[in-house]
Amino acid sequence: DQFNSRLVQSVLTPMTGAALAQPMAFAAFIPLGVVTGITAHGGVGKSMSADVGSLAMALGVKVGCFDPVVKGPVLYLDWENSSEMHRRRMTRLCMGTGLPFPEDRIHHIEAAGVPLLQCLDELLEIQQRVKAILVIFDSIGFAAATNLNNSEAGTAIMSAIKQFKHTKLAIAHSNKASAMEEKAGVAGPSGSTFFWNGAQAYYDLTMAEESMGSSTQEFVFTNTKFNVMRKRPRPIGMTLEFVDPDGPIYPEEFEVTSDTAGGRKVLTPTQRVMDILRAGYGPISTTALEEELGDAAPGDMRKFLSGMAVGGDIVQVYVGGGRSNPSTWGLGARREPKPRAGTQRMTELDA
């Protein structure tokens, strides 16, 4: 039953079968129907990534690392950039992918200078009218247009975002703590903790330093929060190739490993050990693994590797005794799955 105050009453009943699985908007990436945040520092690629996701959702085809499970119109609420910029980028993405431009499928609203709370009712009506199943907020700091450290700002903005139907993607600037740590996944969005608490999932977006200034830029999405299901164990990688400054943009997904640009910065010691063993031609000693990890190596490497062996990730091939006679290690039976390939499970969602 619906009340005038927008309260919704439901009687909870058990779920069975396929309904038990968390539905996804983008396969193994962004959950369906909830708020997902993407944090990054300025100029790293937040809006560009949102353009790639918009194109994928509107057309119902995989673009870069955005692999849509559902298909439908997109509403892009923008407090930072113009529609011209997005039209230009999406046209170049279509040139690079060979996809048709999704006319009448992506609706862009320039809202600079108008706080979200002032135009909320109008934007809710627009979403209903255009039947958008993905709503992008770029960015929530400018949408708030107030002191972001105020807890009331965080609760008010995230509550407003949750009033939109279907899937919500909130773009946010990273806070200062992540800049000081100089690595991904250590902090959330700028401002009140309620900007973090209000989303069900968050990804930290970084650009590999090795690709800065290059014609091929490598972006890494590290899953820092996932309340609706198990966190994605390995970051997601996407390259954007700019052959011509005004020409096609070529997006492509890649697996983030210790050998890829930015991999060493975002992967855990466990993931890096798995990568080293997976790339090797046989068992590797404790000493060699410690040297490969460098500064990221745990204090007690042998104890750390023994813990991985208990979990089934690796096996101890040879039991040594001390640094002069180190143990050797190999891959266990349980291994990390590869990134999902493009899905064919496409549903035109009724908004």
Side-chain angles (χ1 to χ4, degrees), residues 117-136:
L117 297 182
Q118 288 186 16
C119 57
L120 177 60
D121 290 338
E122 181 181 0
L123 294 177
L124 289 171
E125 290 178 5
I126 292 174
Q127 185 198 12
Q128 184 175 10
R129 186 172 70 248
V130 303
K131 302 183 183 300
I133 65 168
L134 173 64
V135 184
I136 297 171

Side-chain angles (χ1 to χ4, degrees), residues 212-274:
M212 291 183 180
S214 168
S215 61
T216 301
Q217 297 178 349
E218 299 196 3
F219 301 91
V220 177
F221 298 84
T222 302
N223 191 192
T224 53
K225 178 183 180 181
F226 222 151
N227 285 353
V228 293
M229 59 187 293
R230 177 175 177 261
K231 275 208 291 190
R232 184 181 172 100
R234 184 173 285 266
I236 301 167
M238 179 174 70
T239 61
L240 293 177
E241 185 178 4
F242 303 82
V243 178
D244 184 325
D246 301 316
I249 300 174
Y250 302 92
E252 187 174 346
E253 182 180 12
F254 72 91
E255 183 184 11
V256 179
T257 69
S258 295
D259 295 327
T260 58
R264 289 178 178 269
K265 195 172 185 178
V266 300
L267 296 177
T268 65
T270 297
Q271 291 168 330
R272 291 185 59 186
V273 167
M274 296 288 286

